Amino acid sequence: LRPGRAWQDRGMRKTITITYPADPTRTAQMLASPAYQEGRIARAGLDDASVDVAQRGQGFVSTISGNIQPSQLPSVASKLVRSAVSFSVAESWGEPADDGSRSGGYDVAIKGAPVKVSATSTMAPATDNAENAESAEDSVSTQATVVTVDVDLKVTVPLVGKTIEEKAMSMVGRVVADEERRAAAWLAEH
């Protein structure tokens, strides 16, 4: 142990930002679309997964659940898992504020793997920090939405847990780029 380091590892925390090329209303409609969620499943290569979208007033919960085979996991993790890992990810969004912003979260359940994930999220109109802005306040862009997700990840495997956390978090950039690219294409078609 290094001095000052607590014995119990708290896992990794990361803030993820995703920008969608639509206002919050259209972005929420896309995220609440079963067809869009099914596209997420297809691009992740999950053959054994399903989608359920439930309206909650003007909010919604999109749940993807299924199984991931060990061969679909990063190599450091697949060595520790002998059979399929069951999962569900419920992405929830509350009712919109006047500007379309929403608060939300992710409820992640993973069976068959020593992993704990929790996340909170916000959806808001993107702001432009123009140098020539007349006021000191940010001007709001109605054509973009920023989703910010604060993720906590904890892998409870002695000796290699931190390595698995780091590998998982290192993949976030590619996942975000893919989400932004595919969302732009989906929004252009719908």
Side-chain angles (χ1 to χ4, degrees):
L1 285 177
R2 289 181 276 158
R5 179 154 170 102
W7 168 252
Q8 186 170 5
D9 188 2
R10 299 196 192 306
M12 294 190 80
R13 176 172 283 178
K14 187 171 188 109
T15 298
I16 302 164
T17 303
I18 306 167
T19 302
Y20 295 101
D23 64 33
T25 300
R26 283 197 65 219
T27 299
Q29 289 169 344
M30 174 186 70
L31 295 174
S33 165
Y36 184 75
Q37 296 297 337
E38 288 167 3
R40 281 178 161 176
I41 289 172
R43 72 180 181 246
L46 301 174
D47 299 328
D48 182 21
S50 63
V51 171
D52 177 62
V53 178
Q55 295 299 314
R56 303 276 194 265
Q58 291 182 13
F60 61 93
V61 178
S62 296
T63 304
I64 296 175
S65 57
N67 296 302
I68 299 174
Q69 298 303 319
S71 61
Q72 293 174 293
L73 297 170
S75 62
V76 68
S78 66
K79 294 174 186 172
L80 302 169
V81 177
R82 291 187 174 86
S83 60
V85 176
S86 299
F87 74 94
S88 72
V89 178
E91 177 181 7
S92 61
W93 290 102
E95 300 204 1
D98 291 342
D99 67 353
S101 62
R102 299 171 185 252
S103 293
Y106 291 81
D107 182 19
V108 180
I110 302 171
K111 295 179 183 169
V115 177
K116 293 179 183 172
V117 181
S118 63
T120 58
S121 53
T122 59
M123 176 188 300
T127 55
D128 295 323
N129 293 321
E131 290 180 25
N132 299 331
E134 294 291 321
S135 74
E137 293 183 28
D138 292 338
S139 60
V140 175
S141 169
T142 58
Q143 295 305 309
T145 299
V146 174
V147 170
T148 304
V149 183
D150 292 312
V151 179
D152 287 307
L153 171 65
K154 174 69 178 146
V155 178
T156 56
V157 177
L159 303 176
V160 297
K162 188 59 118 183
T163 302
I164 295 170
E165 292 169 359
E166 289 169 355
K167 179 66 176 172
M169 290 296 198
S170 74
M171 298 168 71
V172 167
R174 288 189 304 263
V175 171
V176 168
D178 182 65
E179 173 74 3
E180 289 176 339
R181 185 178 60 253
R182 290 179 187 260
W186 195 91
L187 287 162
E189 294 174 9
H190 295 85

